[in-house]
Amino acid sequence: AAIMAAVVARRGRLGQEGRASLCSFLLGASVAALPLLLGSSPSLLAAPGLRGRLALALHVAGVNAALLLIYPRPLYKIAVRACFLGFAFGCGLLLSAGRSAWRHFGWYMCSLSLFHYSEYLVTAINNPRSLSLDSFLLNHSFEYNLAALSSWVEFTLEKLFLPELKQITWLSTVGLLMVIFGDCLRKAAMLTAGSNFNHIVQNEKSDTHTLVTNGVYGWFRHPSYVGWFYWSIGTQVLLCNPICVVGYALASWRFFRERIEEEEITLIHFFGEEYLEYKRKVPSGLPFIKGVKLEL
């Protein structure tokens, strides 16, 4: 919350949608305070029994009722999504603080929910004109949702049949560091690009569209893709999911290879020789991906 507030203060005032999302995310994340209110340990919600589940149900019902009372329909659609992500983040904190076998899955829940919420928040700060419900990236694609579901299934099955595989703390720590690095790099790219950043590849150049080459764009031509690439693989290293580590790496590499080629054709059309010179000097940042090939 402190980091989010600092970013907002540095980049300017949040609009109505951004404020609603931030308040709702924090309201959802307040589920992490339930053990304090109940006088129980953080592992309460991961333990068997009805008490923790009842507390969760009451929290969800109470928060949703509050959102319905506070926000009109358009803002409620934003608020309920942000609140859901905050709730997932808070539950992840509770699992992380406990000593159950689901501790590393709690790290994953925090990473996943914060990634999706921060996509919306940074867009609200940087480019509010492009802001929509799709900015949460919750409905990114069928393939993305299938990949997420596959990772949950693999984690659950291996936890049942190979529980020792899910207790490799040093490996999960490496994955967590990859996740933090990847997400920070992506958000740094979004903030550096400002209003030039858009979740949808633009086919028409606007009057305010400029070529960004400073900051993290001086390291890589596509730092947001580099960040997402290592973030996605890091989530599976964190979960100690060997099958999904390989699957995510191959699928992400193929997706970004095609996406970068498509985007660079547009950028060359927009900026001509200026982009070609930049392309010659700065690598794409992704292994074995050089971008669009130009015929001599």
Side-chain angles (χ1 to χ4, degrees):
I3 294 175
M4 293 179 183
V7 170
V8 171
R10 184 173 70 87
R11 300 293 296 188
R13 184 179 177 183
L14 264 180
Q16 188 179 31
E17 293 86 353
R19 291 196 301 273
S21 75
L22 183 56
C23 291
S24 301
F25 180 85
L26 295 175
L27 190 60
S30 66
V31 69
L34 281 182
L36 293 176
L37 298 176
L38 297 175
S40 304
S41 66
S43 60
L44 167 71
L45 300 180
L50 293 177
R51 191 182 182 195
R53 293 180 178 83
L54 180 59
L56 282 176
L58 290 174
H59 181 273
V60 170
V63 167
N64 188 58
L67 295 179
L68 284 168
L69 290 172
I70 295 171
Y71 297 114
R73 181 69 177 175
L75 285 180
Y76 173 75
K77 292 181 180 179
I78 296 168
V80 74
R81 287 165 173 78
C83 184
F84 164 75
L85 292 171
F87 179 77
F89 182 80
C91 289
L93 287 178
L94 291 175
L95 289 177
S96 302
R99 295 191 176 184
S100 73
W102 291 90
R103 182 184 181 192
H104 296 155
F105 195 83
W107 296 3
Y108 168 80
M109 288 178 65
C110 290
S111 303
L112 186 66
S113 56
L114 190 59
F115 171 83
H116 282 282
Y117 175 64
S118 58
E119 288 289 310
Y120 184 90
L121 181 65
V122 174
T123 302
I125 296 168
N126 263 359
N127 194 6
R129 286 183 297 179
S130 71
L131 193 65
S132 70
L133 293 177
D134 290 339
S135 300
F136 285 108
L137 298 185
L138 291 173
N139 57 341
H140 180 269
S141 66
F142 171 78
E143 292 79 7
Y144 179 84
N145 294 333
L146 181 62
L149 180 61
S150 299
S151 72
W152 304 340
V153 170
E154 180 182 352
F155 180 89
T156 302
L157 291 177
E158 289 173 351
K159 181 180 176 296
L160 289 173
F161 297 106
L162 298 168
E164 66 279 358
L165 181 63
K166 302 305 177 184
Q167 302 300 316
I168 309 175
T169 300
W170 70 265
L171 186 59
S172 290
T173 302
V174 170
L176 182 61
L177 292 175
M178 290 177 65
V179 163
I180 294 172
F181 165 76
D183 203 8
C184 287
L185 178 60
R186 179 169 171 83
K187 296 314 182 292
M190 293 174 69
L191 289 168
T192 301
S195 61
N196 291 286
F197 185 91
N198 198 302
H199 283 119
I200 301 173
V201 176
Q202 301 297 292
N203 295 316
E204 295 184 7
K205 185 176 183 291
S206 67
D207 295 336
T208 59
H209 203 168
T210 59
L211 179 61
V212 181
T213 60
N214 62 302
V216 291
Y217 286 86
W219 305 347
F220 314 118
R221 293 200 308 275
H222 303 279
S224 66
Y225 295 161
V226 176
W228 197 344
F229 178 76
Y230 287 107
W231 174 86
S232 66
I233 298 173
T235 60
Q236 301 313 298
V237 175
L238 189 161
L239 291 175
C240 300
N241 280 353
I243 297 174
C244 280
V245 165
V246 176
Y248 271 50
L250 293 176
S252 297
W253 185 88
R254 181 178 179 181
F255 171 79
F256 286 122
R257 182 193 63 182
E258 296 174 355
R259 182 69 174 262
I260 284 173
E261 289 182 357
E262 174 189 354
E263 185 171 311
E264 290 198 336
I265 291 173
T266 302
L267 289 169
I268 292 170
H269 176 70
F270 284 178
F271 302 107
E273 185 59 35
E274 184 182 6
Y275 186 79
L276 291 175
E277 181 64 22
Y278 173 61
K279 185 178 185 300
R280 285 190 284 267
K281 291 180 179 179
V282 181
S284 71
L286 289 166
F288 309 110
I289 295 180
K290 297 184 180 297
V292 65
K293 296 179 180 179
L294 301 175
E295 297 292 337
L296 298 177

